[in-house]
Amino acid sequence: MLLRRSESLHSTIQSSEITPQDAFEQYRRQRRFVIGGAATLTVGALAYGHIPGLLLPSSTVHAQTLPSAPSKYTTTENQTPFAKATHYNNFYEFGTDKSDPARNAHTLKTRPWTVQVTGMVKKPQTLDIDAILKYRPTESRIYRHRCVEAWSMVIPWDGYSLSEFINFCEPLPSAKYVQFVSLVDKKQMPDLPGGYDWPYSEGLRLDEAMNPLALLTFGCYGQVLPNQNGAPIRVVMPWKYGFKNAKSIVRFHFTDKQPHTTWNEINSQEYGFYSNVNPQVDHPRWSQAHERRIDSSAFPRTIPTQMFNGYADQVASLYNGMNLKRYY
Ligand code: MTE
């Protein structure tokens, strides 16, 4: 049975009802169903070979075959209501007002969708989105989501660690950074604002991208990503300001040089390459010491912002010895 992309990532089962092991077993059973004659391929084998499993055509979307198991990388804070997380967005390709993407992003076509892997990798290639989606079981991770504009949300994302995908890409030892390039298409984005150097581009040092918290994301709230949240594939970096989370990615580029990033290019004084959440380093035009939750009363900003957005235990060591005021 083929599902429409608006259906749940795990429509037959809630993540709260299943153990990780159950989820994995179900994933394995259903994966066999998805790939039919290729049933003897194991998930692990995919990591090493460029086998047809990663070149499946988009028509084989079996969204219910990806139950998201609960993850250990999860906060227990109250979740932001789905309606807020999907109607208060930054996705400038569909307009610069927070309400624009929910209104306009229906013109984004997320199938067929291919993703290029380019630059310093063993084998540059083009992959089908559904094969990437099915490459590993997805987990539901409830993350704090902190925007540089000093608001925050708490969102359950569905995906798997970006490191798993990067390992599949086999970057060369000389690769030091990964760049994410978003789709740009005037036909699908008739409101594309002028004055920006499209496509949207972001990047990370490779060791940051390999941190287990970095999430390759296909869904939120147990559903495939709504278009306005970056369908069909985006990244989520919970310890960084939201603009590092490139949406609707069409290319992963591996390089030995710090890549061009959109907001840094627009205003490097205000938007650094690292953009780690840091209450001690203010944005030139406002304090970063406090934030407001989007689901609570609008102002003032009363919640103290945490270093690395509360993820210091997992990520602080990435920046040992670095002056975080300089490398903001
Ligand atoms: N990706 C693209 N392609 N275009 C954008 O305008 N905005 C960024 C980021 N990724 C943006 C993007 C910013 S500023 C933020 S805060 C987050 O997406 C917002 O993600 P959300 O709408 O899911 O909360």
Side-chain angles (χ1 to χ4, degrees):
M1 180 181 64
L2 299 184
L3 292 183
R4 290 188 303 278
R5 60 184 164 76
S6 58
E7 289 178 88
S8 165
L9 267 181
H10 50 94
S11 54
T12 54
I13 191 162
Q14 289 297 310
S15 59
S16 56
E17 295 168 9
I18 53 178
T19 63
Q21 188 56 32
D22 290 341
F24 182 67
E25 284 307 322
Q26 184 183 359
Y27 169 82
R28 268 192 21 196
R29 277 197 304 276
Q30 295 187 335
R31 181 174 167 76
R32 237 177 266 138
F33 166 66
V34 173
I35 62 180
T40 49
L41 297 174
T42 64
V43 175
L46 282 169
Y48 303 103
H50 303 286
I51 54 181
L54 270 187
L55 297 169
L56 285 172
S58 293
S59 58
T60 52
V61 182
H62 297 264
Q64 85 278 27
T65 64
L66 285 166
S68 283
S71 168
K72 61 178 176 176
Y73 301 115
T74 271
T75 171
T76 53
E77 285 162 75
N78 286 343
Q79 290 176 30
T80 300
F82 176 80
K84 294 276 185 194
T86 55
H87 287 79
Y88 191 88
N89 302 103
N90 281 328
F91 198 170
Y92 274 32
E93 290 88 327
F94 294 100
T96 55
D97 190 85
K98 297 281 183 286
S99 60
D100 285 341
R103 202 173 29 250
N104 298 333
H106 60 92
T107 52
L108 176 68
K109 261 187 71 200
T110 59
R111 294 294 188 283
W113 188 280
T114 53
V115 172
Q116 285 182 289
V117 177
T118 59
M120 295 176 160
V121 285
K122 198 160 165 193
K123 181 172 179 271
Q125 55 190 317
T126 300
L127 302 168
D128 184 90
I129 183 62
D130 293 313
I132 301 174
L133 179 64
K134 296 196 180 306
Y135 177 55
R136 289 285 190 257
T138 56
E139 292 178 358
S140 171
R141 297 187 182 180
I142 306 171
Y143 277 163
R144 283 181 289 277
H145 179 54
R146 173 63 155 81
C147 182
V148 71
E149 297 157 354
W151 51 261
S152 61
M153 301 194 200
V154 175
I155 299 182
W157 300 107
D158 297 275
Y160 57 77
S161 284
L162 177 60
S163 62
E164 309 240 26
F165 180 66
I166 291 179
N167 281 336
F168 171 83
C169 295
E170 295 184 286
L172 300 177
S174 47
K176 298 283 177 274
Y177 297 88
V178 57
Q179 180 183 25
F180 315 110
V181 183
S182 299
L183 177 77
V184 60
D185 179 359
K186 197 76 176 98
K187 279 203 211 90
Q188 295 179 64
M189 300 163 171
D191 297 316
L192 193 74
Y196 295 87
D197 185 16
W198 304 112
Y200 193 93
S201 161
E202 259 306 334
L204 300 168
R205 239 174 38 198
L206 213 43
D207 60 339
E208 299 181 291
M210 293 298 286
N211 185 281
L213 282 182
L215 192 69
L216 190 64
T217 308
F218 309 94
C220 61
Y221 299 84
Q223 302 183 20
V224 293
L225 283 170
N227 287 356
Q228 61 267 33
N229 292 85
I233 181 171
R234 67 178 288 178
V235 286
V236 173
M237 304 294 297
W239 70 97
K240 293 180 178 280
Y241 293 123
F243 67 89
K244 296 300 287 182
N245 302 338
K247 294 177 167 180
S248 304
I249 298 171
V250 291
R251 188 152 76 97
F252 290 80
H253 182 69
F254 293 84
T255 165
D256 58 354
K257 304 204 171 49
Q258 187 174 301
H260 150 91
T261 61
T262 295
W263 283 103
N264 185 250
E265 198 95 332
I266 291 169
N267 189 340
S268 62
Q269 300 298 315
E270 301 199 356
Y271 308 102
F273 176 78
Y274 283 92
S275 288
N276 291 314
V277 174
N278 188 341
Q280 288 144 33
V281 177
D282 288 338
H283 185 280
R285 288 183 283 139
W286 57 81
S287 162
Q288 292 291 22
H290 291 85
E291 65 202 55
R292 67 184 172 103
R293 280 280 149 87
I294 286 302
D295 50 344
S296 57
S297 56
F299 281 102
R301 297 175 183 138
T302 51
I303 302 174
T305 289
Q306 301 177 68
M307 188 67 202
F308 297 114
N309 206 21
Y311 299 97
D313 285 352
Q314 291 102 316
V315 302
S317 61
L318 289 167
Y319 310 102
N320 278 346
M322 276 176 72
N323 177 345
L324 297 180
K325 283 204 159 69
R326 178 156 180 225
Y327 296 102
Y328 51 94

